[in-house]
mmCIF file of all heavy atoms in Angstrom:
data_model
loop_
_atom_site.group_PDB
_atom_site.id
_atom_site.type_symbol
_atom_site.label_atom_id
_atom_site.label_comp_id
_atom_site.label_asym_id
_atom_site.label_seq_id
_atom_site.Cartn_x
_atom_site.Cartn_y
_atom_site.Cartn_z
ATOM 1 N N ARG Y 115 -5.710 0.688 -2.796
ATOM 2 C CA ARG Y 115 -6.432 -0.028 -1.756
ATOM 3 C C ARG Y 115 -6.577 0.833 -0.501
ATOM 4 O O ARG Y 115 -5.658 1.532 -0.107
ATOM 5 C CB ARG Y 115 -5.635 -1.272 -1.391
ATOM 6 C CG ARG Y 115 -6.451 -2.491 -1.129
ATOM 7 C CD ARG Y 115 -5.560 -3.593 -0.600
ATOM 8 N NE ARG Y 115 -4.834 -4.337 -1.594
ATOM 9 C CZ ARG Y 115 -5.253 -5.482 -2.124
ATOM 10 N NH1 ARG Y 115 -6.421 -5.977 -1.786
ATOM 11 N NH2 ARG Y 115 -4.503 -6.133 -2.978
ATOM 12 N N ILE Y 116 -7.774 0.778 0.069
ATOM 13 C CA ILE Y 116 -7.976 1.341 1.401
ATOM 14 C C ILE Y 116 -8.648 0.235 2.185
ATOM 15 O O ILE Y 116 -9.534 -0.429 1.660
ATOM 16 C CB ILE Y 116 -8.804 2.650 1.379
ATOM 17 C CG1 ILE Y 116 -8.686 3.381 2.690
ATOM 18 C CG2 ILE Y 116 -10.243 2.420 1.001
ATOM 19 C CD1 ILE Y 116 -7.356 4.056 2.927
ATOM 20 N N THR Y 117 -8.177 0.000 3.394
ATOM 21 C CA THR Y 117 -8.472 -1.228 4.126
ATOM 22 C C THR Y 117 -8.210 -2.393 3.168
ATOM 23 O O THR Y 117 -7.103 -2.559 2.730
ATOM 24 C CB THR Y 117 -9.885 -1.238 4.757
ATOM 25 O OG1 THR Y 117 -10.864 -1.103 3.752
ATOM 26 C CG2 THR Y 117 -10.023 -0.156 5.785
ATOM 27 N N GLY Y 118 -9.197 -3.148 2.753
ATOM 28 C CA GLY Y 118 -8.904 -4.289 1.897
ATOM 29 C C GLY Y 118 -9.297 -4.135 0.452
ATOM 30 O O GLY Y 118 -9.106 -5.044 -0.336
ATOM 31 N N TYR Y 119 -9.837 -2.992 0.067
ATOM 32 C CA TYR Y 119 -10.463 -2.883 -1.248
ATOM 33 C C TYR Y 119 -9.847 -1.803 -2.118
ATOM 34 O O TYR Y 119 -9.514 -0.729 -1.637
ATOM 35 C CB TYR Y 119 -11.959 -2.576 -1.074
ATOM 36 C CG TYR Y 119 -12.642 -3.589 -0.207
ATOM 37 C CD1 TYR Y 119 -12.837 -3.359 1.149
ATOM 38 C CD2 TYR Y 119 -13.049 -4.803 -0.741
ATOM 39 C CE1 TYR Y 119 -13.440 -4.315 1.956
ATOM 40 C CE2 TYR Y 119 -13.657 -5.763 0.057
ATOM 41 C CZ TYR Y 119 -13.844 -5.517 1.401
ATOM 42 O OH TYR Y 119 -14.425 -6.463 2.192
ATOM 43 N N PHE Y 120 -9.750 -2.115 -3.418
ATOM 44 C CA PHE Y 120 -9.329 -1.103 -4.376
ATOM 45 C C PHE Y 120 -10.523 -0.207 -4.679
ATOM 46 O O PHE Y 120 -11.602 -0.700 -5.028
ATOM 47 C CB PHE Y 120 -8.857 -1.752 -5.687
ATOM 48 C CG PHE Y 120 -7.479 -2.317 -5.595
ATOM 49 C CD1 PHE Y 120 -7.286 -3.675 -5.368
ATOM 50 C CD2 PHE Y 120 -6.366 -1.506 -5.734
ATOM 51 C CE1 PHE Y 120 -6.014 -4.205 -5.276
ATOM 52 C CE2 PHE Y 120 -5.082 -2.021 -5.644
ATOM 53 C CZ PHE Y 120 -4.902 -3.379 -5.424
ATOM 54 N N THR Y 121 -10.335 1.093 -4.522
ATOM 55 C CA THR Y 121 -11.388 2.046 -4.844
ATOM 56 C C THR Y 121 -10.773 3.295 -5.464
ATOM 57 O O THR Y 121 -9.559 3.510 -5.393
ATOM 58 C CB THR Y 121 -12.183 2.486 -3.584
ATOM 59 O OG1 THR Y 121 -11.269 3.057 -2.654
ATOM 60 C CG2 THR Y 121 -12.901 1.321 -2.946
ATOM 61 N N LYS Y 122 -11.624 4.110 -6.050
ATOM 62 C CA LYS Y 122 -11.159 5.370 -6.631
ATOM 63 C C LYS Y 122 -10.933 6.381 -5.519
ATOM 64 O O LYS Y 122 -11.793 6.580 -4.653
ATOM 65 C CB LYS Y 122 -12.167 5.882 -7.648
ATOM 66 C CG LYS Y 122 -12.205 4.993 -8.887
ATOM 67 C CD LYS Y 122 -12.880 5.677 -10.045
ATOM 68 C CE LYS Y 122 -12.620 4.852 -11.308
ATOM 69 N NZ LYS Y 122 -13.077 5.534 -12.505
ATOM 70 N N ILE Y 123 -9.809 7.041 -5.589
ATOM 71 C CA ILE Y 123 -9.395 7.967 -4.539
ATOM 72 C C ILE Y 123 -10.327 9.165 -4.443
ATOM 73 O O ILE Y 123 -10.505 9.735 -3.369
ATOM 74 C CB ILE Y 123 -7.934 8.387 -4.775
ATOM 75 C CG1 ILE Y 123 -7.025 7.170 -4.567
ATOM 76 C CG2 ILE Y 123 -7.520 9.526 -3.861
ATOM 77 C CD1 ILE Y 123 -5.584 7.394 -4.977
ATOM 78 N N SER Y 124 -10.970 9.540 -5.547
ATOM 79 C CA SER Y 124 -11.857 10.716 -5.520
ATOM 80 C C SER Y 124 -12.993 10.549 -4.515
ATOM 81 O O SER Y 124 -13.581 11.543 -4.082
ATOM 82 C CB SER Y 124 -12.419 10.997 -6.911
ATOM 83 O OG SER Y 124 -13.159 9.870 -7.371
ATOM 84 N N GLY Y 125 -13.296 9.315 -4.134
ATOM 85 C CA GLY Y 125 -14.365 9.083 -3.174
ATOM 86 C C GLY Y 125 -13.895 9.003 -1.733
ATOM 87 O O GLY Y 125 -14.702 8.779 -0.831
ATOM 88 N N TRP Y 126 -12.618 9.203 -1.525
ATOM 89 C CA TRP Y 126 -12.079 9.067 -0.164
ATOM 90 C C TRP Y 126 -12.303 10.335 0.652
ATOM 91 O O TRP Y 126 -12.307 11.443 0.116
ATOM 92 C CB TRP Y 126 -10.587 8.794 -0.209
ATOM 93 C CG TRP Y 126 -10.212 7.458 -0.753
ATOM 94 C CD1 TRP Y 126 -10.995 6.570 -1.430
ATOM 95 C CD2 TRP Y 126 -8.922 6.862 -0.671
ATOM 96 N NE1 TRP Y 126 -10.272 5.468 -1.775
ATOM 97 C CE2 TRP Y 126 -8.998 5.613 -1.328
ATOM 98 C CE3 TRP Y 126 -7.712 7.255 -0.122
ATOM 99 C CZ2 TRP Y 126 -7.905 4.767 -1.432
ATOM 100 C CZ3 TRP Y 126 -6.618 6.414 -0.220
ATOM 101 C CH2 TRP Y 126 -6.731 5.175 -0.865
ATOM 102 N N ASN Y 127 -12.415 10.156 1.973
ATOM 103 C CA ASN Y 127 -12.506 11.314 2.856
ATOM 104 C C ASN Y 127 -11.108 11.853 3.167
ATOM 105 O O ASN Y 127 -10.093 11.253 2.792
ATOM 106 C CB ASN Y 127 -13.286 10.967 4.139
ATOM 107 C CG ASN Y 127 -12.583 9.908 4.967
ATOM 108 O OD1 ASN Y 127 -11.353 9.832 5.008
ATOM 109 N ND2 ASN Y 127 -13.359 9.076 5.635
ATOM 110 N N LYS Y 128 -11.060 12.989 3.858
ATOM 111 C CA LYS Y 128 -9.775 13.639 4.147
ATOM 112 C C LYS Y 128 -8.840 12.758 4.955
ATOM 113 O O LYS Y 128 -7.628 12.775 4.759
ATOM 114 C CB LYS Y 128 -10.009 14.941 4.922
ATOM 115 C CG LYS Y 128 -10.475 16.089 4.095
ATOM 116 C CD LYS Y 128 -10.571 17.325 4.987
ATOM 117 C CE LYS Y 128 -10.856 18.565 4.194
ATOM 118 N NZ LYS Y 128 -10.890 19.748 5.086
ATOM 119 N N GLY Y 129 -9.387 12.010 5.874
ATOM 120 C CA GLY Y 129 -8.551 11.145 6.701
ATOM 121 C C GLY Y 129 -7.836 10.094 5.879
ATOM 122 O O GLY Y 129 -6.631 9.851 6.038
ATOM 123 N N LYS Y 130 -8.571 9.474 4.973
ATOM 124 C CA LYS Y 130 -7.960 8.443 4.118
ATOM 125 C C LYS Y 130 -6.929 9.062 3.181
ATOM 126 O O LYS Y 130 -5.899 8.453 2.890
ATOM 127 C CB LYS Y 130 -9.036 7.696 3.323
ATOM 128 C CG LYS Y 130 -9.997 6.912 4.191
ATOM 129 C CD LYS Y 130 -9.288 5.830 4.984
ATOM 130 C CE LYS Y 130 -10.274 4.970 5.761
ATOM 131 N NZ LYS Y 130 -9.604 4.067 6.707
ATOM 132 N N LEU Y 131 -7.205 10.274 2.701
ATOM 133 C CA LEU Y 131 -6.223 10.957 1.848
ATOM 134 C C LEU Y 131 -4.956 11.269 2.638
ATOM 135 O O LEU Y 131 -3.848 11.164 2.111
ATOM 136 C CB LEU Y 131 -6.830 12.229 1.253
ATOM 137 C CG LEU Y 131 -7.960 12.000 0.248
ATOM 138 C CD1 LEU Y 131 -8.624 13.329 -0.099
ATOM 139 C CD2 LEU Y 131 -7.454 11.302 -1.010
ATOM 140 N N GLY Y 132 -5.132 11.632 3.900
ATOM 141 C CA GLY Y 132 -3.970 11.877 4.759
ATOM 142 C C GLY Y 132 -3.147 10.621 4.941
ATOM 143 O O GLY Y 132 -1.913 10.660 4.908
ATOM 144 N N GLU Y 133 -3.817 9.498 5.106
ATOM 145 C CA GLU Y 133 -3.102 8.229 5.231
ATOM 146 C C GLU Y 133 -2.322 7.923 3.961
ATOM 147 O O GLU Y 133 -1.158 7.526 4.010
ATOM 148 C CB GLU Y 133 -4.085 7.089 5.524
ATOM 149 C CG GLU Y 133 -3.365 5.748 5.645
ATOM 150 C CD GLU Y 133 -4.307 4.567 5.662
ATOM 151 O OE1 GLU Y 133 -5.341 4.614 6.343
ATOM 152 O OE2 GLU Y 133 -3.988 3.586 4.971
ATOM 153 N N LEU Y 134 -2.953 8.124 2.824
ATOM 154 C CA LEU Y 134 -2.290 7.850 1.547
ATOM 155 C C LEU Y 134 -0.997 8.648 1.400
ATOM 156 O O LEU Y 134 0.022 8.128 0.947
ATOM 157 C CB LEU Y 134 -3.246 8.170 0.393
ATOM 158 C CG LEU Y 134 -2.691 7.989 -1.021
ATOM 159 C CD1 LEU Y 134 -2.303 6.524 -1.275
ATOM 160 C CD2 LEU Y 134 -3.710 8.466 -2.053
ATOM 161 N N LYS Y 135 -1.035 9.916 1.822
ATOM 162 C CA LYS Y 135 0.161 10.767 1.724
ATOM 163 C C LYS Y 135 1.316 10.215 2.551
ATOM 164 O O LYS Y 135 2.480 10.434 2.212
ATOM 165 C CB LYS Y 135 -0.157 12.185 2.224
ATOM 166 C CG LYS Y 135 -0.988 12.995 1.298
ATOM 167 C CD LYS Y 135 -1.238 14.378 1.915
ATOM 168 C CE LYS Y 135 -2.222 15.176 1.099
ATOM 169 N NZ LYS Y 135 -2.597 16.425 1.791
ATOM 170 N N GLU Y 136 0.999 9.545 3.636
ATOM 171 C CA GLU Y 136 2.051 9.116 4.562
ATOM 172 C C GLU Y 136 2.511 7.673 4.350
ATOM 173 O O GLU Y 136 3.405 7.207 5.042
ATOM 174 C CB GLU Y 136 1.567 9.318 6.003
ATOM 175 C CG GLU Y 136 1.348 10.787 6.311
ATOM 176 C CD GLU Y 136 0.973 11.065 7.760
ATOM 177 O OE1 GLU Y 136 0.785 10.123 8.545
ATOM 178 O OE2 GLU Y 136 0.872 12.260 8.087
ATOM 179 N N ARG Y 137 1.926 6.971 3.407
ATOM 180 C CA ARG Y 137 2.306 5.572 3.205
ATOM 181 C C ARG Y 137 3.757 5.418 2.766
ATOM 182 O O ARG Y 137 4.214 6.136 1.871
ATOM 183 C CB ARG Y 137 1.435 4.930 2.112
ATOM 184 C CG ARG Y 137 0.057 4.605 2.560
ATOM 185 C CD ARG Y 137 -0.723 3.947 1.447
ATOM 186 N NE ARG Y 137 -2.090 3.704 1.895
ATOM 187 C CZ ARG Y 137 -3.066 3.309 1.103
ATOM 188 N NH1 ARG Y 137 -2.828 3.091 -0.185
ATOM 189 N NH2 ARG Y 137 -4.266 3.111 1.580
ATOM 190 N N ASN Y 138 4.419 4.465 3.379
ATOM 191 C CA ASN Y 138 5.740 4.052 2.912
ATOM 192 C C ASN Y 138 5.513 3.090 1.757
ATOM 193 O O ASN Y 138 5.011 1.986 1.953
ATOM 194 C CB ASN Y 138 6.512 3.365 4.038
ATOM 195 C CG ASN Y 138 7.813 2.770 3.559
ATOM 196 O OD1 ASN Y 138 8.212 2.953 2.403
ATOM 197 N ND2 ASN Y 138 8.487 2.054 4.433
ATOM 198 N N LYS Y 139 5.877 3.503 0.570
ATOM 199 C CA LYS Y 139 5.595 2.706 -0.630
ATOM 200 C C LYS Y 139 6.748 1.794 -1.023
ATOM 201 O O LYS Y 139 6.783 1.273 -2.139
ATOM 202 C CB LYS Y 139 5.185 3.635 -1.770
ATOM 203 C CG LYS Y 139 3.907 4.397 -1.386
ATOM 204 C CD LYS Y 139 3.454 5.381 -2.417
ATOM 205 C CE LYS Y 139 2.223 6.119 -1.894
ATOM 206 N NZ LYS Y 139 1.754 7.142 -2.819
ATOM 207 N N ASN Y 140 7.689 1.620 -0.122
ATOM 208 C CA ASN Y 140 8.774 0.642 -0.307
ATOM 209 C C ASN Y 140 9.548 0.840 -1.606
ATOM 210 O O ASN Y 140 9.931 -0.140 -2.260
ATOM 211 C CB ASN Y 140 8.214 -0.784 -0.202
ATOM 212 C CG ASN Y 140 7.565 -1.029 1.137
ATOM 213 O OD1 ASN Y 140 8.207 -0.892 2.164
ATOM 214 N ND2 ASN Y 140 6.282 -1.356 1.145
ATOM 215 N N ARG Y 141 9.765 2.083 -1.965
ATOM 216 C CA ARG Y 141 10.507 2.369 -3.201
ATOM 217 C C ARG Y 141 11.902 1.753 -3.134
ATOM 218 O O ARG Y 141 12.601 1.868 -2.140
ATOM 219 C CB ARG Y 141 10.623 3.869 -3.413
ATOM 220 C CG ARG Y 141 9.316 4.492 -3.815
ATOM 221 C CD ARG Y 141 9.494 5.959 -4.219
ATOM 222 N NE ARG Y 141 8.250 6.468 -4.743
ATOM 223 C CZ ARG Y 141 7.299 7.030 -3.997
ATOM 224 N NH1 ARG Y 141 7.454 7.154 -2.703
ATOM 225 N NH2 ARG Y 141 6.190 7.468 -4.547
ATOM 226 N N GLY Y 142 12.266 1.079 -4.183
ATOM 227 C CA GLY Y 142 13.603 0.511 -4.269
ATOM 228 C C GLY Y 142 13.766 -0.839 -3.606
ATOM 229 O O GLY Y 142 14.826 -1.439 -3.710
ATOM 230 N N PHE Y 143 12.742 -1.342 -2.932
ATOM 231 C CA PHE Y 143 12.905 -2.635 -2.264
ATOM 232 C C PHE Y 143 12.770 -3.790 -3.240
ATOM 233 O O PHE Y 143 13.557 -4.723 -3.217
ATOM 234 C CB PHE Y 143 11.883 -2.806 -1.136
ATOM 235 C CG PHE Y 143 12.055 -4.113 -0.403
ATOM 236 C CD1 PHE Y 143 13.028 -4.238 0.572
ATOM 237 C CD2 PHE Y 143 11.289 -5.225 -0.719
ATOM 238 C CE1 PHE Y 143 13.221 -5.442 1.231
ATOM 239 C CE2 PHE Y 143 11.466 -6.425 -0.072
ATOM 240 C CZ PHE Y 143 12.441 -6.534 0.911
ATOM 241 N N PHE Y 144 11.751 -3.728 -4.087
ATOM 242 C CA PHE Y 144 11.517 -4.812 -5.039
ATOM 243 C C PHE Y 144 12.216 -4.503 -6.357
ATOM 244 O O PHE Y 144 12.391 -3.359 -6.714
ATOM 245 C CB PHE Y 144 10.019 -4.986 -5.311
ATOM 246 C CG PHE Y 144 9.264 -5.490 -4.117
ATOM 247 C CD1 PHE Y 144 8.596 -4.600 -3.288
ATOM 248 C CD2 PHE Y 144 9.221 -6.833 -3.818
ATOM 249 C CE1 PHE Y 144 7.906 -5.053 -2.179
ATOM 250 C CE2 PHE Y 144 8.524 -7.295 -2.718
ATOM 251 C CZ PHE Y 144 7.870 -6.404 -1.896
ATOM 252 N N CYS Y 145 12.590 -5.573 -7.082
ATOM 253 C CA CYS Y 145 13.147 -5.404 -8.420
ATOM 254 C C CYS Y 145 11.986 -5.145 -9.374
ATOM 255 O O CYS Y 145 11.084 -5.963 -9.483
ATOM 256 C CB CYS Y 145 13.894 -6.655 -8.863
ATOM 257 S SG CYS Y 145 15.278 -7.035 -7.786
ATOM 258 N N ASP Y 146 12.005 -3.974 -10.009
ATOM 259 C CA ASP Y 146 10.898 -3.584 -10.876
ATOM 260 C C ASP Y 146 11.073 -4.057 -12.298
ATOM 261 O O ASP Y 146 12.179 -4.160 -12.797
ATOM 262 C CB ASP Y 146 10.779 -2.061 -10.930
ATOM 263 C CG ASP Y 146 10.146 -1.501 -9.682
ATOM 264 O OD1 ASP Y 146 9.682 -2.285 -8.842
ATOM 265 O OD2 ASP Y 146 10.127 -0.270 -9.560
ATOM 266 N N ARG Y 147 9.929 -4.299 -12.935
ATOM 267 C CA ARG Y 147 9.899 -4.413 -14.393
ATOM 268 C C ARG Y 147 9.464 -3.052 -14.890
ATOM 269 O O ARG Y 147 8.548 -2.443 -14.342
ATOM 270 C CB ARG Y 147 8.861 -5.459 -14.839
ATOM 271 C CG ARG Y 147 9.306 -6.853 -14.573
ATOM 272 C CD ARG Y 147 8.379 -7.815 -15.232
ATOM 273 N NE ARG Y 147 6.984 -7.426 -15.038
ATOM 274 C CZ ARG Y 147 5.979 -8.283 -15.033
ATOM 275 N NH1 ARG Y 147 6.204 -9.539 -15.245
ATOM 276 N NH2 ARG Y 147 4.738 -7.889 -14.870
#
Side-chain angles (χ1 to χ4, degrees):
R115 219 188 278 265
I116 195 73
T117 60
Y119 305 96
F120 282 99
T121 58
K122 291 196 168 188
I123 293 171
S124 60
W126 291 13
N127 63 33
K128 283 184 172 182
K130 296 298 185 190
L131 293 171
E133 179 191 316
L134 178 62
K135 286 180 187 172
E136 295 185 355
R137 284 181 183 170
N138 173 6
K139 299 177 183 177
N140 301 302
R141 288 188 173 89
F143 182 81
F144 292 97
C145 299
D146 284 353
R147 287 190 316 207

